[in-house]
Amino acid sequence: MTTPLQPLLHDAVVVLRAPVQVWSDRTGTLGDGAIDGVYAGDCRLVRAARIEVGGRTPEHIATGLPGSDRARFDHLLRELDDATPDPGVRLVVHREVDGTGWSESLVLDNRRPITLTTTVAVRITPEQTPMDVVKLGRRGVAASARMDGDAATWSSPDLDAALSATGLEIALDGGDIVLRADVAVPADASITLGWRLDVVDRAPVVGPATGVAPWALPVVDGPDDRLARWVSRALDDLDALRMTAQGGAEQFIAAGAPWFFTLFGRDSLWTARFLLPLGTDLARDTLRVLAGLQGTRMDDLTAQEPGKIMHELRRAGVSLDEDGAELPPLYYGTVDATPLWILLLHDAWEWGLADDDVRALVPTLRGTLAWMRDHGDADGDGLLEYIDRAGTGLANQGWKDSGDSIQWKDGTLAEGPVALAEVQGYAYEAAMAGARLLDAFGDDPAEAETWRAWAEALRGRFHEAFWVQDERGAYPAIALDGGKRPVDTVTSNIGHLLGTGLLDDAQVDEVVARLTDPTMDSGYGLRTMSTASARYWPLSYHGGSVWTHDTAIVIRGMVRAGRAAAAAPLVQGLLRAATAFEFRMPELHSGDGVDDTATPVPYPAACRPQAWSAAAAVEVLAAVTGLRPGADGVRTAPMPGFEGIRVTGLPRAER
């Protein structure tokens, strides 16, 4: 029996407008690739769609993506053409999605002086396959279509689909829907045929956002246009990833396509934080959505705890592997989303979030702070750690959440409870930020001082426990394992400590030196793990690959710590990668170095677009221009080597 394999994504074409997405090959055909299909939310509703003209497959010559939600596929119809070398008959397929469906227009264009007659046929295969089944590489679940008037309709347990057509007759043929027309294309003219799939969600958990995106569109100028092009493409993708939760009006950014078209605490928080220079509306909405789902009770199965910010929201449980492990629909298994919620609230306030909006979230703030002390620090040692108490959730609950992400230099996996280095930095910064918010919006000065004292105690404990030594000197461990031993692998995690206030100046220099070393800097971004580690592998999900958002966080930290010049090579690396990926940065790419390959090697199962990889473009823009909020506008301090880049069109005037 063949072992199911996760679909590869690197060479597929996607158009999307959350919660609808369409995946195909470069020709526009659906059905040959394992990922191919039309999805609404967490369900694949169409497995295949194949076009024939005159009984033949059109010859593909070009693919264009004018926007995240649109594509154009150009084909030749040479069997209808004359013998001259110039193509005179073609088919142009225009694909478009919105939040409620999928449309295709087929334009048959004839430059010949005679009328052409032919037959157009489209065969569409309906499905009702859950997304996690697709991800695990399992067989799809067939759907039985029926005719309802002029439309073909079918359903999944929660979705209703209706396919209608213009200029094409619809019929059922076995398990497929067939669209067909005998057509005459006049001389020097064209005709247009098409279809539309409408989807109705009967039990929505998340849904499409309407209206314009809640951020400003910056204008980026300079002698090097790579950053401007990356920002433009990224904001278009982020617009297409906008969603709302549970019937509300507040928006958030879905984590990524194809697997994560939903609310993820950590991802949505970092995305909103990266976008703060463009406005605070998205941050406000994201904070409110997550506040509405804040934990209220103890539940080991869902990992819910009072005050905790959730990890993932789904319609139904999600299968993790072939052994039956499954996450519940609302899952809280994340150790970092709670301090990150506090940091987003504080940073949004600094960027201009209205006092009334902040004040309304102070009760949630108090709950998140209390969670760090009472539940995040499960064993009372003054540090935040995690463990999967249910035994059915995520074994690792930081941003590197794969099973082998926390390992020693020799490759041995760490056993929990695990206290991650970067989470201590988030928690320290969050407690200090929370104290500042309570100074401004609380009614008891002693309350803020309590959290400053807690933060300083954490800082002292971190300095006692996390530092390890090798032949080059001291550096922070990636984590403490269940025995409170420092796990000694050099990883990108330690870069998240920069700018949090947890390190002193000498320690900042030590961390920066480690991360800018060729063992970590690939030339296309920062590796997640040093090449000196025994189990380093450039295509390991968290053990040697490059994650765009991870590199951007480290760049951000270097700038905040006053080491902007050290960050410049990492910026250049991301710009090289962005160019190679046509400015749609994937979730991650290979850690192969710039000296080994002329272009970055794709990680073939990486999501794209992905929220925090896209939003990283704005964080990099902020880093190279030195954007930061001031009392009377936005202040700037260009990064060395990027003095020519200018940004205008921000919601707060530059100073």
Side-chain angles (χ1 to χ4, degrees), residues 109-115 185-190:
D109 199 0
N110 175 24
R111 70 124 192 193
R112 296 185 65 189
I114 61 172
T115 296
V185 188
D188 292 313
S190 64

Side-chain angles (χ1 to χ4, degrees), residues 72-146:
R72 169 178 166 144
F73 305 96
D74 282 68
H75 309 264
L76 298 183
L77 301 173
R78 289 194 291 173
E79 68 277 7
L80 300 177
D81 213 341
D82 57 26
T84 62
D86 290 346
V89 186
R90 65 178 179 174
L91 170 70
V92 180
V93 179
H94 297 277
R95 175 172 297 160
E96 187 168 352
V97 299
D98 55 36
T100 60
W102 159 57
S103 302
E104 302 237 345
S105 295
L106 281 55
V107 180
L108 279 76
D109 199 0
N110 175 24
R111 70 124 192 193
R112 296 185 65 189
I114 61 172
T115 296
L116 299 175
T117 59
T118 190
T119 299
V120 176
V122 183
R123 183 170 290 270
I124 294 173
T125 304
E127 270 196 354
Q128 51 169 331
T129 304
M131 178 68 81
D132 55 344
V133 172
V134 177
K135 187 177 183 184
L136 291 172
R138 298 174 182 167
R139 183 185 298 274
V141 181
S144 296
R146 61 190 181 278

Side-chain angles (χ1 to χ4, degrees), residues 507-558:
Q507 293 166 343
V508 167
D509 288 335
E510 289 165 349
V511 169
V512 169
R514 293 275 174 171
L515 298 181
T516 54
D517 187 88
T519 59
M520 288 297 294
D521 182 1
S522 74
Y524 297 118
L526 187 68
R527 295 185 179 98
T528 45
M529 182 185 291
S530 168
T531 59
S533 300
R535 289 179 62 178
Y536 162 80
W537 177 242
L539 286 171
S540 170
Y541 196 60
H542 291 130
S545 61
V546 173
W547 287 64
T548 303
H549 89 281
D550 182 37
T551 306
I553 290 171
V554 174
I555 291 168
R556 167 195 177 96
M558 288 182 179

Side-chain angles (χ1 to χ4, degrees), residues 533-610:
S533 300
R535 289 179 62 178
Y536 162 80
W537 177 242
L539 286 171
S540 170
Y541 196 60
H542 291 130
S545 61
V546 173
W547 287 64
T548 303
H549 89 281
D550 182 37
T551 306
I553 290 171
V554 174
I555 291 168
R556 167 195 177 96
M558 288 182 179
V559 171
R560 293 177 70 193
R563 302 331 190 255
L570 292 177
V571 173
Q572 290 289 0
L574 288 185
L575 292 176
R576 289 187 197 102
T579 303
F581 289 114
E582 298 179 329
F583 302 100
R584 173 179 272 175
M585 290 290 271
E587 179 184 17
L588 70 157
H589 57 270
S590 165
D592 290 301
V594 70
D595 294 332
D596 300 316
T597 176
T599 60
V601 175
Y603 183 89
C607 291
R608 58 181 176 85
Q610 206 232 17

Side-chain angles (χ1 to χ4, degrees), residues 40-346:
D42 279 343
C43 184
R44 182 163 67 189
L45 291 171
V46 172
R47 175 66 181 97
R50 303 178 188 277
I51 301 170
E52 289 187 350
V53 178
R56 299 184 183 184
T57 301
E59 295 178 275
H60 174 258
I61 58 171
T63 297
L65 295 168
S68 299
D69 55 2
R70 302 180 303 283
R72 169 178 166 144
F73 305 96
D74 282 68
H75 309 264
L76 298 183
L77 301 173
R78 289 194 291 173
E79 68 277 7
L80 300 177
D81 213 341
D82 57 26
T84 62
D86 290 346
V89 186
R90 65 178 179 174
L91 170 70
V92 180
V93 179
H94 297 277
R95 175 172 297 160
E96 187 168 352
V97 299
D98 55 36
T100 60
W102 159 57
S103 302
E104 302 237 345
S105 295
L106 281 55
V107 180
L108 279 76
D109 199 0
N110 175 24
R111 70 124 192 193
R112 296 185 65 189
I114 61 172
T115 296
L116 299 175
T117 59
T118 190
T119 299
V120 176
V122 183
R123 183 170 290 270
I124 294 173
T125 304
E127 270 196 354
Q128 51 169 331
T129 304
M131 178 68 81
D132 55 344
V133 172
V134 177
K135 187 177 183 184
L136 291 172
R138 298 174 182 167
R139 183 185 298 274
V141 181
S144 296
R146 61 190 181 278
M147 292 304 299
D148 185 358
D150 293 331
T153 64
W154 66 101
S155 298
S156 74
D158 296 300
L159 303 172
D160 293 326
L163 185 75
S164 57
T166 301
L168 293 155
E169 295 182 354
I170 302 180
L172 303 182
D173 181 16
D176 290 342
I177 302 165
V178 176
L179 313 181
R180 188 182 183 283
D182 295 322
V183 300
V185 188
D188 292 313
S190 64
I191 64 168
T192 300
L193 314 170
W195 67 86
R196 163 81 186 179
L197 177 73
D198 287 294
V199 182
V200 175
D201 191 336
R202 287 178 267 106
V205 175
V206 294
T210 58
V212 299
W215 53 72
L217 296 177
V219 177
V220 183
D221 293 309
D224 183 344
D225 71 347
R226 292 177 298 170
L227 184 52
R229 295 176 67 185
W230 183 19
V231 169
S232 176
R233 181 62 184 267
L235 291 178
D236 186 52
D237 282 337
L238 290 165
D239 183 17
L241 288 169
R242 290 185 296 133
M243 299 191 82
T244 59
Q246 298 182 319
E250 289 88 3
Q251 300 183 37
F252 64 90
I253 306 299
W259 317 123
F260 308 120
F261 254 32
T262 190
L263 177 65
F264 274 70
R266 175 193 307 122
D267 301 56
S268 298
L269 287 162
W270 267 120
T271 299
R273 199 177 184 197
F274 284 166
L275 292 182
L276 280 172
L278 308 186
T280 60
D281 287 356
L282 176 66
R284 178 201 62 213
D285 282 8
T286 302
L287 290 162
R288 288 175 176 174
V289 169
L290 292 170
L293 296 167
Q294 187 175 32
T296 59
R297 59 188 175 85
M298 298 294 296
D299 183 349
D300 287 350
L301 181 63
T302 65
Q304 182 178 179
E305 293 166 337
K308 195 175 187 181
I309 298 300
M310 55 76 71
H311 172 60
E312 181 175 352
L313 176 66
R314 298 280 191 176
R315 183 194 309 276
V318 177
S319 296
L320 296 178
D321 54 42
E322 290 293 333
D323 297 327
E326 182 176 283
L327 297 184
L330 178 56
Y331 182 58
Y332 288 79
T334 167
V335 71
D336 51 7
T338 306
L340 289 172
W341 188 95
I342 300 169
L343 292 173
L344 178 60
L345 178 63
H346 174 267

Side-chain angles (χ1 to χ4, degrees), residues 404-423:
D404 63 351
S405 61
I406 312 302
Q407 57 180 262
W408 301 79
K409 272 187 179 180
D410 65 5
T412 304
L413 300 185
E415 297 183 359
V418 171
L420 290 169
E422 76 271 20
V423 172

